[in-house]
Amino acid sequence: MGRGKKISTINTKVYLVGSGISSLASAVYLIKDANIKPNNIFILEQSDISGGACDGAGDEENGFVIRGGRMHEEHYNCYWDLLSNIPSYDNPNISVKDETFEFNKRFVSNAQARLLRKGQKIDVSSYGLSLIDQADLLKLLFTPESMLDTLKIEEWFGADFFKTNFWYIWSTTFAFQKYSSLIECRRYMKRFIHLVDGLNRLGGIMRTKYNQYHSVILPIKRYLINLGVNFEMNTQVVDIDFVIEEEKKSATTLHILRDNQKEKIELDDDSFVFITNGSITDSSDQGSWTKAPTLKDKSSSASWKLWENIAKKDSSFGNPSVFCDHIDLQKWYSFTATLKDSTFHDYMENFSGNVDGTGGLVTMIDSNWLMSIVIARQPHFPNQSKDVKIFWGYGLYPDKEGNFIKKKMSDCNGKEILEELFYHLNIQDIMTPIIKEGKINCIPVSMPFIDSLFMPRSLGDRPNVVPSFSTNFAFLGQFTEVEDDCVFTVEYSVRTAQIAVYGLFKTNKEVIPVYDSIHNPKYLLKAIKSFSS
């Protein structure tokens, strides 16, 4: 039975700050499990598009853009529970969950070119871990999280660990840096121990039919709109007032900026607010074929400024500065290429042995930028023609000078990023004519906060989803505290939605448990065997 105390009434209203997947999921569960009337749910979004980090936009003429792709796996139990209720983008008679599982039966991840050096495939059948590395990994798994506050990954492992196949695969699959939080690294190890023995070929990784915006976000939004949920776009929540008492904390007023006009929403006894605090994609900036993107800061981020305003009011509301004040350590750059030519995709299929949609990440470990690319199943956008191809990539070290283009990745336009890539793949000669013919576009994106959720932290830096003594508010998303689960996943966001709804309202539902693979001896033994191979 849900532990919430409030029984919804015909007058109960819920305001959701932000329209990322955690807010959308909250709206679904509020209607389905808490019996909130759909027309009493208000989603307040600062931009003109929903989805947060699950995005995908563009067209063939101007170029497609994906800031980043979210990977999936079978045991995202909250996520698949949500999507089992949502009709798919293409077929209203099947759910997004069923569509995705069927898609992944046809296109199974089995990467044959996971790591490259000098444009050639590296044998990754061994992770290359020494006995010391193996001992350090096992020790980390069984060290209590409470002993790892503020520690970085590089403070646990020796220097040679960061030259192993395991580290290159691990860090680029999940976007870890050497200075990322050791706590988060440990959580990933425990949470995904069942994937470790196949991670060198991306075994067990699932993908959606299209990009996440079209495959996941639009279907949920369409479902909610059809039910009557209110989407108020271009509506920024700049602050929230609270009454803080010894054993009672209540949100009372939302301060809104809508069309540059200040407004207030007063919360009565039947009103609730769910707040997405922080964002990994706020302040992103797009470059172009001829222009590098601009690196912005938190002054242009409504989400971070809102959390900073809220956090000043009570210590239980978290410490946003840990996650947003170190942009040089948090940023990386991605890029999306649109090609009106199949030469590149044909080459990669022949070279890698993977048809599109089965290979996943290809990482060039000798790239100064530590550049990786992903070729998704085509078409990756519903409005993409058969003769148009796209791929996505990113660089973890954007402030380093390229090996061939003697500029920082952060200073490069789309053309220069692709030229660097083609040199690494030793295909510059076959791709240069295609560039000259204008058959390629590439849009780079700067993301100042993309790795902010991996910053070394302490207990309490992230607020609980439902803080102690909260009467009518909850926090959502990647910067809340959820025991044992992993940030930078859609599963985490949906789990926070369940915790918020079931924690504030009387329902007959319990939050679905985190998949407990670490306590399955089969998976642990397989992981230990793969460490020693």
Side-chain angles (χ1 to χ4, degrees):
M1 183 76 67
R3 65 180 175 85
K5 298 179 180 179
K6 181 70 175 181
I7 299 175
S8 65
T9 70
I10 194 170
N11 297 316
T12 299
K13 294 181 179 179
V14 183
Y15 298 89
L16 299 164
V17 180
S19 66
I21 193 169
S22 55
S23 280
L24 300 180
S26 294
V28 173
Y29 289 122
L30 285 165
I31 297 166
K32 184 171 73 74
D33 297 328
N35 298 314
I36 305 296
K37 293 182 64 177
N39 60 1
N40 280 349
I41 298 173
F42 302 85
I43 297 178
L44 313 177
E45 170 56 50
Q46 63 176 323
S47 72
D48 59 0
I49 192 167
S50 300
C54 295
D55 65 351
D59 56 54
E60 295 172 2
E61 292 307 311
N62 299 299
F64 292 104
V65 179
I66 316 158
R67 286 179 294 185
R70 308 278 83 82
M71 293 188 297
H72 306 75
E73 64 102 6
E74 181 181 359
H75 302 291
Y76 279 6
N77 295 330
C78 294
Y79 183 66
W80 298 126
D81 174 76
L82 169 70
L83 297 183
S84 67
N85 299 283
I86 308 301
S88 80
Y89 180 89
D90 286 331
N91 185 350
N93 295 317
I94 66 171
S95 70
V96 174
K97 176 188 176 182
D98 289 343
E99 174 191 75
T100 306
F101 273 71
E102 189 277 334
F103 177 80
N104 283 274
K105 286 180 181 178
R106 291 188 291 122
F107 303 101
V108 179
S109 293
N110 185 29
Q112 303 297 304
R114 181 63 184 86
L115 301 180
L116 307 183
R117 182 186 287 114
K118 295 183 179 180
Q120 299 300 312
K121 291 186 282 188
I122 295 174
D123 179 6
V124 293
S125 58
S126 169
Y127 280 139
L129 296 165
S130 69
L131 289 174
I132 293 175
D133 296 331
Q134 296 170 45
D136 288 340
L137 281 167
L138 291 174
K139 180 181 176 184
L140 178 61
L141 284 173
F142 297 104
T143 298
E145 191 170 289
S146 59
M147 297 177 64
L148 306 176
D149 265 11
T150 74
L151 286 180
K152 306 179 180 86
I153 296 172
E154 62 188 348
E155 294 177 295
W156 187 267
F157 296 99
D160 288 342
F161 173 77
F162 299 102
K163 301 173 185 176
T164 63
N165 286 343
F166 178 83
W167 173 250
Y168 284 121
I169 292 169
W170 184 264
S171 64
T172 55
T173 299
F174 301 117
F176 279 111
Q177 304 273 11
K178 294 179 183 178
Y179 48 77
S180 294
S181 166
L182 186 63
I183 289 176
E184 302 304 339
C185 183
R186 175 184 177 275
R187 284 199 181 190
Y188 267 74
M189 289 295 303
K190 290 170 63 89
R191 178 71 168 80
F192 298 120
I193 197 74
H194 59 287
L195 297 179
V196 167
D197 72 313
L199 200 62
N200 53 355
R201 60 184 187 279
L202 294 174
I205 300 300
M206 300 173 65
R207 300 173 183 85
T208 50
K209 179 179 179 180
Y210 300 123
N211 62 83
Q212 277 85 50
Y213 180 72
H214 287 93
S215 280
V216 178
I217 300 302
L218 272 183
I220 301 175
K221 185 173 182 179
R222 183 166 57 190
Y223 172 83
L224 292 172
I225 288 175
N226 288 340
L227 290 175
V229 172
N230 303 281
F231 282 80
E232 300 186 9
M233 312 306 286
N234 300 303
T235 301
Q236 179 183 344
V237 180
V238 296
D239 202 359
I240 300 175
D241 293 338
F242 295 85
V243 171
I244 308 294
E245 300 176 359
E246 185 174 352
E247 293 191 1
K248 182 180 179 181
K249 299 175 183 180
S250 303
T252 58
T253 307
L254 309 183
H255 296 269
I256 306 294
L257 190 63
R258 196 193 322 255
D259 298 325
N260 294 318
Q261 298 296 314
K262 294 182 179 179
E263 301 178 19
K264 292 183 181 180
I265 298 175
E266 302 293 343
L267 304 179
D268 58 26
D269 290 342
D270 284 319
S271 296
F272 293 76
V273 59
F274 291 7
I275 309 149
T276 302
N277 55 300
S279 167
I280 61 174
T281 51
D282 259 13
S283 302
S284 298
D285 185 66
Q286 287 186 22
S288 69
W289 183 248
T290 58
K291 177 181 174 293
T294 299
L295 183 67
K296 298 180 180 180
D297 57 30
K298 67 181 178 182
S299 65
S300 61
S301 167
S303 181
W304 289 107
K305 287 191 290 185
L306 173 62
W307 189 12
E308 287 184 327
N309 289 337
I310 292 172
K312 294 173 185 176
K313 299 171 184 181
D314 192 87
S315 60
S316 70
F317 295 170
N319 183 11
S321 64
V322 169
F323 306 103
C324 67
D325 284 353
H326 307 282
I327 286 175
D328 282 344
L329 301 179
Q330 300 163 186
K331 68 176 186 289
W332 42 263
Y333 285 60
S334 71
F335 57 94
T336 311
T338 304
L339 304 91
K340 296 179 178 179
D341 184 282
S342 65
T343 302
F344 177 78
H345 283 65
D346 292 343
Y347 172 82
M348 289 303 296
E349 180 175 327
N350 292 329
F351 165 75
S352 67
N354 285 110
V355 299
D356 53 49
T358 66
L361 278 171
V362 177
T363 298
M364 284 129 279
I365 67 170
D366 52 346
S367 163
N368 290 345
W369 302 342
L370 195 54
M371 185 162 44
S372 300
I373 61 170
V374 176
I375 300 176
R377 183 64 186 171
Q378 307 293 301
H380 201 45
F381 289 81
N383 59 330
Q384 180 185 337
S385 303
K386 286 185 178 181
D387 58 349
V388 172
K389 308 294 183 182
I390 71 107
F391 69 90
W392 173 87
Y394 82 108
L396 268 179
Y397 307 148
D399 283 338
K400 291 189 176 182
E401 186 180 89
N403 303 70
F404 304 97
I405 304 299
K406 297 300 181 179
K407 296 170 67 174
K408 296 178 182 178
M409 186 182 187
S410 55
D411 293 332
C412 286
N413 58 35
K415 179 176 183 289
E416 292 164 332
I417 289 173
L418 284 192
E419 287 176 339
E420 177 79 4
L421 170 65
F422 295 154
Y423 273 108
H424 274 290
L425 294 173
N426 297 324
I427 58 171
Q428 66 274 17
D429 291 341
I430 64 173
M431 295 306 298
T432 296
I434 297 168
I435 292 175
K436 289 181 178 179
E437 292 170 13
K439 293 183 177 180
I440 302 181
N441 191 7
C442 179
I443 300 176
V445 178
S446 65
M447 293 182 285
F449 301 109
I450 190 68
D451 255 1
S452 54
L453 31 64
F454 285 161
M455 293 301 292
R457 62 173 180 83
S458 299
L459 185 65
D461 287 337
R462 302 191 302 215
N464 290 332
V465 175
V466 181
S468 297
F469 309 118
S470 167
T471 64
N472 68 340
F473 67 93
F475 293 100
L476 297 173
Q478 302 293 301
F479 296 94
T480 61
E481 185 56 50
V482 177
E483 187 176 1
D484 294 330
D485 214 346
C486 293
V487 291
F488 220 159
T489 65
V490 286
E491 172 74 352
Y492 199 92
S493 291
V494 178
R495 185 175 299 281
T496 67
Q498 287 192 358
I499 294 171
V501 173
Y502 303 161
L504 287 173
F505 293 92
K506 281 188 178 297
T507 71
N508 63 351
K509 305 284 283 188
E510 293 281 357
V511 177
I512 300 172
V514 176
Y515 183 62
D516 190 22
S517 59
I518 188 62
H519 291 115
N520 186 321
K522 176 180 70 174
Y523 295 129
L524 184 58
L525 289 172
K526 281 187 175 182
I528 292 172
K529 184 178 179 180
S530 66
F531 289 158
S532 61
S533 64

